[in-house]
Amino acid sequence: MIRCATVQFQHQPGDKPYNLMQIETWCRRAAETGVQLITFPEMCITGYWHVRTLDRAGVEALAEPAPAGSSTLALVDLASRYQLIVGGGLIEQAEDGQLYNTYVVATPDGAVHRHRKLHCFISPHMSSGDQYTVFDTHLGVKLGVLICWDNNLTENARITALQGADILLAPHQTGGTASRSPHAMGKIDPQLWRDRGQNPAALQAETNGAKGREWLLRWLPSRAHDNGMFLLFSNGVGLDDDEVRTGNAMILDCYGRILAEQLEPTDAMVTADVDLDLLENCTGRRWIRGRRPELYPPLTVSTGNELDPRAARFSTRSTRE
C-alpha cells in the first residue's frame, strides 16, 4: 500500500518563489498525513498559459537546467526533508540551448528523473521531447510520467505501460480551454472565477461540467483501465491568464475507478492509499498479455497527415482532409 497525493493549485505566472512556497506547504501537509508520493501540475513552478505570449528571451528568463537548476534542487530538498517522492513542472533549458516543458521527479535519496513533454505546443520557442520516462523507486513500484497532451494519445500511455509503469503521473494545465471541437472543452467566463466568493455554485457547475470533469471522465479512466496503471491527475485551478483551469485533481486505480477527487475549484490536495495488490490480475494487464504486435506495424507508419504538436493544437484545417 502506498499513500499518494495529487495537488491542484493556482500558480502565479513567472513567480517561482511563490509557486515553490506553495509546493513546500503542500509537501509539509502531505508528510503530516503519511503521504509517500505527491504530484503537482504541469509547469506550476514557472507558470503556464502566459508563456505563449513570451518571446524567446522571456522564456529563457524562466528556464533552468535540470537537474542542476535551483527549482530542481528545491524539489530535491523537499523530497529529502519530508521523505517524499515529489513531482513538479517547469521550463528546462538543455545544454544545447533547447527549451522544454519538463516534469521533474525528485526522490528522498537525492535522485532526479526528468520527462520532457512529447507534444509541446505552448511556445514556438520550445521543443518536444523524444523519450518515454519510466523508472524504479524505493517504494517497489515503477513510475511513469506523461504531461497533459501526452496523455491524450493512447500510444503514449500504452508504451509507458509496456515499459513497466505501475503508477502514471499525469500533470496537466487543462479544462476551460478553448477548443474547436463542439463537444470537448470550452472556455469558462473568467468573471465566474472573480465572483466565486459570491456565487461559488456557478463556477463549480462549469468546472465539474462538460468543460472540466465531464470531459476528463470521457477518457482519463480508460488510460488507467486499459493499461493496468494507477493514475495521479494533477492540474492547475483558477484563472491562468485568460483561461480558467478546472482543477478536478483525482487519483484513479488500475481499473479506472476514482479513489479520491476534488470537486471544488480551489487550491486543494487529494490523497488515497494505492493498493498494489490490485495490479495482480487487473483487466488491463491481462488484456495486454493478449496483444498481437505483428498486427500493429501501421501504428509506426506516417499517414502523411501528421502535424507537429503546435500546428496540430492550433490548426484550423479540417480533420477530414
Side-chain angles (χ1 to χ4, degrees), residues 9 11 32 47 94 112 157 204 228 233 236 246 297 311:
F9 80 94
H11 62 254
E32 290 171 351
V112 174
Q204 189 167 342
F233 172 80
T246 61

Side-chain angles (χ1 to χ4, degrees), residues 55-134:
D55 59 16
R56 184 174 182 87
V59 180
E60 288 181 336
L62 288 174
E64 303 177 17
S70 60
S71 294
T72 299
L73 294 177
L75 295 181
V76 170
D77 175 67
L78 292 173
S80 174
R81 197 185 333 156
Y82 294 110
Q83 290 298 292
L84 294 166
I85 297 176
V86 182
L90 46 75
I91 300 174
E92 175 197 0
Q93 185 157 36
E95 291 183 0
D96 62 2
Q98 291 194 78
L99 300 163
Y100 294 98
N101 177 341
T102 293
Y103 199 73
V104 170
V105 182
T107 60
D109 62 359
V112 174
H113 303 274
R114 174 187 66 195
H115 178 74
R116 293 169 172 169
K117 189 174 183 177
L118 303 172
H119 305 273
C120 181
F121 62 83
I122 186 66
S123 168
H125 309 295
M126 295 173 66
S127 302
S128 292
D130 59 6
Q131 295 184 21
Y132 292 94
T133 305
V134 177

